Amino acid sequence: MKRALVSVSDKTNLVPFVQGLVDNDYEIVSTGGTKRVLDEAGVKTISVEDVTHFPEILDGRVKTLNPYVHGGLLARRELPEHMETLEKLNITPIDLVCVNLYPFKETIEQPDVKLADAIENIDIGGPSMVRSAAKNYRDVTIVVDRADYDQVLAEIKNDGDTSLATRAKLAAKAFRHTAAYDALISQYLTKQDGLEDPEKLTLTWNLKEMMRYGENSHQKAWLYEDALPKAFSVLSAKQLHGKKLSYNNIKDADEALRCIREFDEPTVVAMKHMNPCGIGRGETLEQAWDRAYEADPVSIFGGVIALNRPVDLATAEKMHKLFLEIIIAPAFADDAYALLAKKKNLRLLTVDFSKKDADVRHEVVSVMGGLLMQEQDVLDEDYHDWKCVTKTQPTEAQLKSLAFAWKAVKHAKSNAIVVANDERTLGVGEGQPNRIDSLKIAVQHAGDAIDDRAVMASDAFFPFGDCVEFAGQHGIKAVVQPGGSIRDQESIDMANKYGIAMVTTGVRHFRH
């Protein structure tokens, strides 16, 4: 008769799995709550104390950390000396281990969790058994995922045991399981310690889905989600309608959410290839849509739309006239949803906007051979703190328009220029190797919309006076920029020449 050791926190489908083992001549060793569940279901079990000849101690902290358990797991069956040692010490080999770990993740996700509670949910004996069994996978089957119950039982029923190939795969999964578990503990305790630059960076993500392809159809791609999911995220969004999101869809939708998070008044963001092509705000969502559309009615085709108010029918009717890839909002009115859902491929997503300012974490990007990590650019800025460096002072209305443009320029790729008024972006220039070309693109897009209300935001300082001169020549009345160039005075003098009000923030907003 073979022996299985079963000790699980997640008891989903436990009883039928263990009953299947019993039906195939396994005796079951179990502990604590797992044993109680199996006993109540009429599955005969052996207490771990009867195996170890030692009681559970320290409130259950020590129960399986014992040679009678780990000797039974680690003994190599093909080595006579190992088997002689087991026989001499009366240790029974353990052929299968079914273990999942204390709910550490679920514990730390609880609001206001206490450190002591988190510590008590760090499993020690469980990972030790998992690792011992996985190390000896040539002889021992390790099961840490209930998704594997059926395959394991089927192989045992048909062949008397699991195959070596299956045991190898399960062992690799087991080590991924304990590695991810330890990574979460490491992250949590490092955060408690307040350390920002640990000598080892331990991160863990869970596979959410295999993508059809990556940025291009010849590239394979996978979507992984943070093991501690973020509520305000495209990965946590509820998809109400439309086909699956693509790799590029996810990147665009993520950028749209980052941008819309900046605004409190009714606002619509149109995102295209991870750049805002139009941002509009208004007293109503419909008005905000009209302004976002007016900002660039050409580029919005095939775009991703983020709205920070529930979508009403009037706004939906206007969006329905266009080809759009994705619409993201807090909610959709029933009639608005019914209309938009007539387009079978249009993705309709809802996100919890009440969480937009919560749980802002570090972000990472990959580079060949490593990764970069930084804080997100979510600095809370007040335009009243900005410094006017020109003879012409900005009006309060201009300052509000500059603040709007400043929020927008954060989400355009550097070098970034946004021309705007108090209602919408008029033109966006981004991603050019030099700033003057970005400005020319923004002004060209704005065209005749530039009037006495037009202002300009630059994500970084002006290295020369040419940008300010070009802006003045095309009717820009106020400018916001970080300042800090050794040639700031050149730009200030040019602003004074054209009667432009210029303010500096002391902060740049590069986005590469």
Side-chain angles (χ1 to χ4, degrees), residues 346-366:
L346 174 61
R347 292 92 161 176
L348 303 178
L349 279 64
T350 58
V351 173
D352 185 356
F353 272 68
S354 70
K355 305 293 187 182
K356 72 183 182 74
D357 298 318
D359 193 25
V360 177
R361 302 180 194 168
H362 292 151
E363 58 188 7
V364 296
V365 295
S366 63

Side-chain angles (χ1 to χ4, degrees), residues 21-318:
L21 294 176
V22 172
D23 293 343
N24 285 277
D25 298 323
Y26 276 76
E27 64 179 2
I28 308 300
V29 177
S30 192
T31 65
T34 303
K35 186 178 188 320
R36 284 193 297 274
V37 169
L38 293 173
D39 288 346
E40 290 170 2
V43 180
K44 184 179 179 181
T45 62
I46 301 169
S47 172
V48 72
E49 292 97 325
D50 292 335
V51 172
T52 62
H53 312 297
F54 204 90
E56 292 186 14
I57 62 172
L58 307 180
D59 299 318
R61 282 190 167 197
V62 179
K63 46 183 178 281
T64 59
L65 297 170
N66 187 285
Y68 280 94
V69 172
H70 288 273
L73 291 173
L74 288 165
R76 294 172 57 183
R77 311 308 197 252
E78 81 280 11
L79 295 182
E81 57 269 33
H82 279 204
M83 301 311 293
E84 289 171 5
T85 298
L86 294 192
E87 184 175 1
K88 178 180 178 181
L89 298 176
N90 197 28
I91 297 174
T92 302
I94 298 173
D95 305 286
L96 182 146
V97 173
C98 179
V99 169
N100 53 56
L101 310 176
Y102 290 176
F104 181 80
K105 173 179 177 292
E106 292 77 8
T107 299
I108 63 173
E109 285 181 320
Q110 295 173 8
D112 303 321
V113 61
K114 292 182 172 59
L115 176 61
D117 292 332
I119 294 295
E120 284 307 305
N121 278 279
I122 296 176
D123 202 332
I124 301 300
S128 298
M129 287 190 291
V130 169
R131 289 170 60 83
S132 291
K135 176 175 180 175
N136 203 25
Y137 72 85
R138 294 191 65 85
D139 299 312
V140 181
T141 301
I142 174 62
V143 183
V144 296
D145 185 350
R146 65 175 185 268
D148 296 316
Y149 286 177
D150 289 345
Q151 180 186 352
V152 168
L153 276 182
E155 290 191 16
I156 290 173
K157 180 178 179 180
N158 295 331
D159 305 318
D161 199 357
T162 55
S163 68
L164 179 59
T166 294
R167 292 196 296 275
K169 289 179 181 178
L170 293 175
K173 177 183 278 192
F175 280 116
R176 293 195 299 272
H177 185 65
T178 56
Y181 191 79
D182 285 341
L184 280 179
I185 296 169
S186 168
Q187 288 179 53
Y188 177 79
L189 293 179
T190 299
K191 183 178 180 180
Q192 295 297 308
D193 187 46
L195 185 63
E196 292 188 336
D197 54 350
E199 75 290 346
K200 301 287 185 184
L201 182 62
T202 54
L203 304 173
T204 182
W205 291 275
N206 298 324
L207 181 64
K208 192 171 180 71
E209 67 176 273
M210 172 79 176
M211 311 298 294
R212 287 181 60 200
Y213 52 83
E215 279 186 301
N216 301 290
S217 59
H218 61 276
Q219 294 173 267
K220 291 183 179 179
W222 302 262
L223 175 62
Y224 284 85
E225 183 175 29
D226 194 319
L228 297 172
K230 190 175 185 295
F232 188 71
S233 160
V234 65
L235 275 69
S236 296
K238 181 178 180 181
Q239 184 166 351
L240 306 179
H241 179 73
K243 60 185 180 181
K244 281 188 175 181
L245 298 176
S246 70
Y247 181 98
N248 292 333
N249 288 155
I250 290 171
K251 293 187 74 174
D252 283 334
D254 177 70
E255 196 60 46
L257 283 177
R258 289 171 184 264
C259 187
I260 196 70
R261 180 173 61 186
E262 301 279 355
F263 304 96
D264 295 320
E265 63 270 58
T267 303
V268 174
V269 170
M271 193 66 60
K272 191 74 172 289
H273 301 309
M274 296 185 69
N275 280 303
C277 59
I279 303 175
R281 61 179 177 179
E283 294 182 6
T284 66
L285 192 66
E286 181 185 6
Q287 188 178 58
W289 162 262
D290 289 341
R291 291 169 176 172
Y293 174 79
E294 187 182 4
D296 193 340
V298 175
S299 298
I300 201 172
F301 180 85
V304 172
I305 309 300
L307 313 94
N308 63 357
R309 296 292 190 277
V311 177
D312 54 25
L313 180 59
T315 306
E317 287 174 338
K318 293 182 176 180

Side-chain angles (χ1 to χ4, degrees), residues 375-406:
E375 295 178 336
Q376 290 188 35
D377 186 3
V378 291
L379 186 65
D380 187 18
E381 298 175 84
D382 185 341
Y383 63 81
H384 292 106
D385 296 331
W386 295 347
K387 178 182 178 183
C388 179
V389 294
T390 52
K391 296 175 182 177
T392 302
Q393 300 287 311
T395 65
E396 183 69 14
Q398 284 177 326
L399 282 171
K400 290 180 180 178
S401 297
L402 289 168
F404 173 71
W406 190 239

Side-chain angles (χ1 to χ4, degrees), residues 450-494:
I450 295 178
D451 58 18
D452 288 344
R453 297 183 298 160
V455 303
M456 181 178 82
S458 173
D459 68 341
F461 62 61
F462 301 115
F464 309 103
D466 56 352
C467 284
V468 180
E469 181 175 28
F470 190 87
Q473 291 170 345
H474 289 82
I476 302 297
K477 302 301 181 184
V479 173
V480 58
Q481 57 117 341
S485 169
I486 60 173
R487 296 191 177 187
D488 271 351
Q489 194 59 47
E490 184 177 329
S491 294
I492 294 169
D493 291 343
M494 197 62 70

